[in-house]
Amino acid sequence: IAASCEQVSEHPLGQAIVNGAKEKGIELSKVIDFQSITGQGIEAALEGKTYFIGNKKLCVKQNIDYAEYEEEAVSIANKGQTPMFVGCVGKAIGIISVADTLKETSVEAIRKIKELGIEVYMLTGDNETTAKAIGKQAGVDEVIAGVLPEGKEAVIRKLKAKGKVTMVGDGINDAPALVTADVGMAIGAGTDIAMESADIVLMNSSLSSVSGAVELSKATIRNIRQNLFWAFFYNTCGIPIAAGLLFIPLGLQLSPMLGAAAMSMSSVFVVSNALRLRLFKPRSVHCEVSEEIITELDEITIEE
């Protein structure tokens, strides 16, 4: 029932349920009147019945009695997992545990971000117990749980009073916060609305790209400052000489052709310095290639 209702959901937890059902060979049914309830769950009609799948907030709002599963939900949350209630006709008929597993690269990626002098906050709509368990594993500085989209936006506005804020998100619920932040970064595998709301779209699903984007941004600013310095220095020295500054004391004049060539070289220097960014490689982004891929590439090279 849950997997059938979640088929059209874009939420990662919903997709996890669908994938789990498919792995078990469960045949899914077609649903109608699907509705996503922000920060709470979903509502969908299946075979003439209306089902609700989501957290405790959804159960309370829809007057669903979940007392039978409350103890199990607490146990699930204490394990760092997310309990999702399945309700119908005012009563919970089941509970599903969905685990937020950390990617192998996430802990290292967050460590690299913190090394850049950036505080890392985790904003989530999940319950506080589950969120803190995941946040502790990931190594974030602070966890803010149980927040709706407008709640995330409010947190971003509050943090902006302390300094510049970057928001990284991938879902519909993250869109308002992505717009509000000084810099919004959308995960490449996220929803379309998240990518449209963001200033930067990371082309993969790895958090290591966040620190890489920050490093590239800093390198770009350094490059701009270098170009501005040399451009001003070059013109500050060159223009007075071209105007005849050295003619009276030394009798030296600058040929117009030499002046034009010098000016062109100034542009070449600035552009060449900017092109150095093409060689930039973030220190915090690592690419691991398996031995199988290396062997396959070697075979292709030999055949060619």
Side-chain angles (χ1 to χ4, degrees):
I1 290 172
S4 294
C5 292
E6 293 280 11
Q7 285 180 95
V8 293
S9 173
E10 293 184 340
H11 198 284
L13 297 184
Q15 289 302 310
I17 293 175
V18 174
N19 293 336
K22 289 180 178 179
E23 289 174 4
K24 296 178 182 295
I26 298 174
E27 187 176 344
L28 305 183
S29 303
K30 186 177 181 180
V31 296
I32 57 175
D33 298 330
F34 175 89
Q35 181 181 353
S36 176
I37 305 172
T38 304
Q40 298 179 7
I42 67 164
E43 174 185 348
L46 179 66
E47 297 177 356
K49 293 183 179 180
T50 300
Y51 293 93
F52 297 91
I53 304 171
N55 54 26
K56 286 185 180 180
K57 291 180 182 178
L58 179 66
C59 293
V60 172
K61 183 178 179 181
Q62 301 298 333
N63 295 318
I64 296 172
D65 181 11
Y66 60 88
E68 181 182 350
Y69 298 99
E70 188 167 12
E71 185 177 340
E72 181 68 19
V74 172
S75 176
I76 289 171
N78 287 333
K79 296 176 184 176
Q81 301 171 2
T82 302
M84 298 179 67
F85 297 93
V86 182
C88 181
V89 197
K91 181 176 175 61
I93 60 174
I95 186 170
I96 295 175
S97 169
V98 181
D100 284 324
T101 55
L102 284 174
K103 294 182 179 179
E104 295 179 358
T105 58
S106 294
V107 176
E108 178 68 13
I110 290 175
R111 186 181 69 82
K112 291 291 185 182
I113 293 172
K114 292 170 71 173
E115 284 181 355
L116 295 172
I118 300 172
E119 291 184 20
V120 181
Y121 289 73
M122 175 179 164
L123 304 181
T124 176
D126 283 344
N127 66 73
E128 188 173 0
T129 305
T130 302
K132 285 187 174 180
I134 295 298
K136 185 177 181 180
Q137 294 178 43
V140 300
D141 294 304
E142 187 173 338
V143 175
I144 301 175
V147 286
L148 298 174
E150 57 269 23
K152 292 182 179 181
E153 183 184 15
V155 172
I156 296 297
R157 290 186 185 278
K158 184 178 179 181
L159 290 175
K160 286 179 72 173
K162 299 179 180 180
K164 299 295 183 181
V165 178
T166 295
M167 169 69 184
V168 183
D170 65 350
I172 296 174
N173 294 344
D174 299 321
L178 287 169
V179 173
T180 304
D182 294 297
V183 178
M185 293 188 187
I187 300 295
T191 59
D192 291 339
I193 189 171
M195 288 188 280
E196 289 174 3
S197 303
D199 303 295
I200 299 173
V201 177
L202 305 175
M203 299 310 293
N204 53 47
S205 300
S206 174
L207 284 178
S208 61
S209 297
V210 176
S211 55
V214 173
E215 287 187 51
L216 177 58
S217 299
K218 289 184 176 181
T220 302
I221 293 298
R222 282 197 304 269
N223 194 282
I224 291 172
R225 287 173 177 166
Q226 290 167 1
N227 286 342
L228 285 173
F229 171 79
W230 287 111
F232 278 110
F233 177 80
Y234 196 90
N235 284 281
T236 300
C237 295
I239 292 176
I241 294 174
L245 180 66
L246 300 179
F247 179 73
I248 296 175
L250 302 176
L252 297 177
Q253 286 183 307
L254 183 66
S255 166
M257 289 190 295
L258 289 176
M263 199 66 208
S264 298
M265 287 305 298
S266 171
S267 300
V268 170
F269 176 82
V270 169
V271 172
S272 299
N273 189 45
L275 287 174
R276 287 192 308 112
L277 288 172
R278 295 176 61 88
L279 304 175
F280 175 80
K281 291 183 180 180
R283 291 173 298 173
S284 58
V285 178
H286 301 282
C287 181
E288 296 182 359
V289 184
S290 68
E291 291 295 331
E292 293 179 2
I293 295 177
I294 293 174
T295 303
E296 184 178 344
L297 289 172
D298 287 340
E299 290 175 355
I300 293 172
T301 303
I302 293 170
E303 290 175 4
E304 290 178 350

